[in-house]
């Protein structure tokens, strides 16, 4: 296999997940893209800069068109884990996501953690907590 870049072309821009990994669930794999939102980017902006809304649009295109499967040569489905350091920002994110298609809402999960837990091992492993989805019941990954 040739070297594949982490950056995925999505329209005229490139999407670069903060982290990309896969877990083996007994021979069945699940691929995860991790996004950590520390609240440093605006929710929306008319300027040509990264925003939460633009990232959401890119992930929406990625999921709807299965671009990760084409780009990385994957067969497994993708879940996007969006971790926030602010509950208020997470709730705003879920509100913005609520008008997305059910396919996209099923594939993007979010959780709010304390800022210090982003930089060290969390007291409660995030995989044991319930992950929120926009306008859908939350789920556990464990």
């Amino acid at each position: 296999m040739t070297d594949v870049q982490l950056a995925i072309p999505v329209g005229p821009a490139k999407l670069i997940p903060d982290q990309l990994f896969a877990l083996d669930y007994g021979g069945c794999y699940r691929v995860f893209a991790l996004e950590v939102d520390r609240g440093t980017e605006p929710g929306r902006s008319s300027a040509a800069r990264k925003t939460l809304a633009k990232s959401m649009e890119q992930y929406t295109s990625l999921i709807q068109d299965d671009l990760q499967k084409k780009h990385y040569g994957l067969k497994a489905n993708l879940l996007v884990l969006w971790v926030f350091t602010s509950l208020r920002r997470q709730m705003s994110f879920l509100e913005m996501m609520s008008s997305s298609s059910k396919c996209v809402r099923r594939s993007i999960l979010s959780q709010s953690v304390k800022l210090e837990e982003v930089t060290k091992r969390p007291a409660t492993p995030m995989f044991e907590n319930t992950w929120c989805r926009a306008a859908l019941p939350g789920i556990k990954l464990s």
Side-chain angles (χ1 to χ4, degrees):
M1 184 170 152
T2 61
D3 289 332
V4 176
Q5 296 294 314
L6 181 60
I8 304 169
V10 179
K14 291 190 178 190
L15 173 64
I16 304 172
D18 289 338
Q19 191 60 257
L20 183 73
F21 62 97
L23 295 178
D24 180 354
Y25 288 92
C28 182
Y29 292 88
R30 172 72 70 176
V31 177
F32 297 89
L34 175 67
E35 288 293 334
V36 178
D37 181 283
R38 296 178 189 217
T40 58
E41 299 158 355
R44 291 184 163 90
S45 174
S46 58
R49 63 174 291 190
K50 186 176 180 181
T51 65
L52 187 57
K54 287 177 186 173
S55 293
M56 290 166 48
E57 289 171 14
Q58 286 184 306
Y59 273 107
T60 295
S61 295
L62 178 91
I63 292 163
Q64 288 176 337
D65 299 334
D66 273 335
L67 298 177
Q68 77 284 355
K69 290 182 179 180
K70 297 169 190 166
H71 182 74
Y72 298 125
L74 300 171
K75 294 179 182 170
N77 291 324
L78 174 82
L79 283 179
V80 180
L81 305 178
W82 224 300
V83 178
F84 292 87
T85 58
S86 160
L87 181 59
R88 189 177 120 253
R89 192 156 163 98
Q90 180 195 15
M91 293 300 114
S92 175
F93 168 82
L94 290 170
E95 176 70 28
M96 290 192 303
M97 287 296 307
S98 65
S99 61
S100 298
S101 72
K102 190 171 184 178
C103 171
V104 170
R105 289 183 287 122
R106 273 195 321 249
S107 301
I108 298 181
L109 314 177
S110 70
Q111 195 172 120
S112 173
V113 298
K114 294 177 183 169
L115 179 59
E116 52 273 6
E117 290 186 357
V118 172
T119 58
K120 63 176 186 157
R121 176 177 248 167
T124 305
M126 288 187 275
F127 280 97
E128 292 179 9
N129 295 335
T130 299
W131 288 81
C132 298
R133 299 184 292 179
L136 291 170
I139 63 169
K140 288 194 174 212
L141 299 177
S142 55

